Structures are given as structure tokens and as C-alpha cells.
Amino acid sequence: MTGPALSDAHGSSGARLIDGKGFAARLTQDIATEVSAFYDRHRITPGLAVVLVGNDPASEVYVRNKALQTHRAGMRSFMHMLPATTSQEELLGLIARLNVDPEIHGILVQLPLPGGLDPVAVTNAIVPEKDVDGLGVVNAGRLALGLPGIVPCTPLGCLLLLRHYVGDMRGQHALVIGASNLVGRPMAQLLLQEGCTVTVAHIDTRDTAALARQADIVVVATGVRELVRGDWIRPGATVIDVGISRVSLPGGRTRLVGDVKFDEVAPHAGLITPVPGGVGPMTIACLLRNTLDAARTIVEGRAP
């Protein structure tokens, strides 16, 4: 795709903002055009099945937004809202049916799952070609080996932003803070494939701040609110903030913040993602991209 021109917007202290919201809108527009062309070739509309177990309000909002964006891209959305009492056997039975349904090209089970359900077994029950979250062992293994496969949506979104705003990353030192299977580990693999020298910091790392001061690129995905402070960042570094938390304000109001203390980090960073409006919109856009790629693989035999 052709991304938007580099934004002239700056943080309060001069850091240039990475416009994830605008980039995601353009990506989604490109996907809609490709979905239309796919339908013209095959008379098939890519279909995404999203499974939500339980009634977590935040997950419900997120899932409904995914459905809305799926329709906007010209794809079909199939919602499966299951009660928290759903058994492992019942959930696996639904996935088995979706695996063989010709109208479904992508399957996503919203995490976290209620207690008593095994997320690893559930994720790996999805056939690899429909695993649009990219979390199953087959797609994770292909990523680790540098082979074509479906890449987890959030790390893919971060990578697309970095490619557009930073460009050639060969030889740059990248620090990934957080080692989850959802973001940190696949992000490190993607950065390695870009030619970066990659360090991964995690809960047992002794001095993450010292590592951050050496990095050209810092990707933060810990779920720890405003963990990264201003004196962690070397001048001109690129900072990608994956975290999102809601904090209470006086008068019953709330606001969203990330894993980076933005007002402190912005004076040091050269480029930085805001929260909200940074990585979040890219996650859903990349889910749509993965669903289209999955449909191409299933219908045309084309590798992602």
C-alpha cells in the first residue's frame, strides 16, 4: 500500500507523531479495494468468524468494532457470542465446524477466555490457514523460521508503521519490552527479519532502562501503565507504545494512557505513537489484511 505522508503533528515537546489512525484508515481502504477485486475474480466474499466467550464489557466493545470494520472493508462478519458457562468441548466443537465452513476464511477467538478454558488448546484447534490471529504453533513456527505465514495482528501493525516512518532498519538496535506470545516474541522475530539487532526485555530483566538508552527503536508491550519514563529514551529514538490502560480523572472522567509516559518521553523521541490513535487502529486493520490473505490462500493457493 501507499501510506500517508509523514505527519507534521508533534507532541507537546517536539516529537513527531506516528499517525496510526490515519495509516490504518488508508490500509483499510486499500483492503476494501482488494476485497472487491477478489470478489470479481471468484464471486466469493472473505468471511471472518469472531468468537467471544463470556460477557466482558471491554471485549464486547472490541469485538463489535471488529465486526463494524469487517463490514466496512466489504467482508462478511460472523459473530459467535457464547456464555461464560461454555465448556471446552462445546468451544472446540464450534471451532471444528468453522474450520470446515467454506464461507469462513478467518477465525478469531477473543482472548482472554473465562477460567476453565485452555487458550492454547483452543488457539491450536484453529486450522493454520484460518488462524488470522497468527497465534497457533504452525504460524508461530513459520514466523520463527522466517517462512511465509500469518503474522499476529498487533506486531504486524507495528512493523508496517516502522517500515513507513523509519524506512530501512538494517543495523539499528531495537529493544522490545515485553515477551508475550501475542506481541513481544513475534515483534522480536519481525525486527530480526528487518535486519535489526534485537534485545528483548522481560519481567526478570535487571536494568531495562539501561537497555532502552542504547536503542534506536523501542517497542513497549507490557500492560504496565506508563512504565517507560523520559530518561529511558536516547535522543531521536523511535518509540512504539502498544499498551493501553484507562485511568480515572476527577469528576468521574477517564482517559486512555499507554505503557509509555508520553509527556516525559516525547521530548527525547524522534518519532512516537500516541495513545489512543497509534497502534490500536492498526491491529484491526491488520486483522482485515490477514483475513483477506487467508481467503487468497484458501481460494487461490497463494501464500500470505
Side-chain angles (χ1 to χ4, degrees):
M1 67 165 288
T2 301
L6 189 62
S7 172
D8 288 332
H10 287 71
S12 58
S13 301
R16 192 180 295 271
L17 297 182
I18 293 174
D19 181 13
K21 183 177 180 180
F23 192 100
R26 291 185 180 234
L27 176 57
T28 301
Q29 189 175 50
D30 287 349
I31 291 167
T33 300
E34 294 176 28
V35 167
S36 178
F38 181 85
Y39 179 81
D40 289 343
R41 289 196 301 274
H42 304 290
R43 290 296 184 266
I44 293 172
T45 300
L48 172 65
V50 179
V51 180
L52 175 63
V53 186
N55 56 356
D56 177 73
S59 292
E60 287 181 358
V61 171
Y62 192 46
V63 163
R64 288 194 176 97
N65 191 27
K66 287 176 179 176
L68 178 62
Q69 296 299 326
T70 302
H71 286 299
R72 284 179 175 170
M75 294 190 275
R76 301 179 69 190
S77 175
F78 299 83
M79 303 294 298
H80 296 269
M81 314 285 278
L82 306 180
T85 55
T86 300
S87 69
Q88 181 94 353
E89 182 179 8
E90 290 171 327
L91 181 54
L92 292 177
L94 171 60
I95 292 172
R97 295 191 295 275
L98 296 175
N99 280 339
V100 297
D101 188 335
E103 293 187 314
I104 303 298
H105 304 95
I107 304 170
L108 182 147
V109 177
Q110 185 68 33
L111 301 176
L113 293 170
L117 299 177
D118 181 354
V120 175
V122 169
T123 298
N124 284 299
I126 302 170
V127 292
E129 60 269 25
K130 295 187 179 184
D131 171 28
V132 288
D133 241 354
L135 298 179
V137 293
V138 172
N139 282 310
R142 296 185 72 83
L143 176 59
L145 294 175
L147 299 174
I150 300 177
V151 177
C153 306
T154 300
L156 178 58
C158 294
L159 178 66
L160 294 179
L161 291 175
L162 285 167
R163 282 178 173 171
H164 182 73
Y165 283 98
V166 176
D168 187 354
M169 290 174 273
R170 286 176 295 179
Q172 294 201 32
H173 180 198
L175 172 67
V176 179
I177 305 177
S180 71
N181 291 333
L182 185 64
V183 181
R185 293 173 188 266
M187 189 75 243
Q189 294 291 342
L190 291 172
L191 288 166
L192 280 172
Q193 292 176 23
E194 293 296 305
C196 293
T197 299
V198 181
T199 302
V200 179
H202 45 77
I203 195 168
D204 294 316
T205 300
R206 292 181 179 176
D207 194 346
T208 302
L211 295 173
R213 293 184 193 109
Q214 303 171 29
D216 303 297
I217 298 168
V218 180
V219 181
V220 192
T222 65
V224 179
R225 187 177 71 199
E226 297 183 325
L227 170 71
V228 175
R229 309 303 293 259
D231 62 355
W232 288 33
I233 302 301
R234 75 185 282 183
T238 298
V239 179
I240 306 292
D241 188 354
V242 179
I244 187 165
S245 302
R246 188 172 295 276
V247 299
S248 298
L249 299 174
R253 295 176 298 120
T254 63
R255 71 181 179 97
L256 297 175
V257 300
D259 290 358
V260 171
K261 195 164 182 58
F262 184 89
D263 289 344
E264 288 188 8
V265 170
H268 302 275
L271 289 162
I272 188 169
T273 56
V275 176
V279 174
M282 291 297 297
T283 297
I284 294 180
C286 288
L287 172 63
L288 302 179
R289 170 173 157 159
N290 281 353
T291 301
L292 175 58
D293 285 344
R296 287 168 169 163
T297 299
I298 293 167
V299 175
E300 302 175 345
R302 184 193 304 188

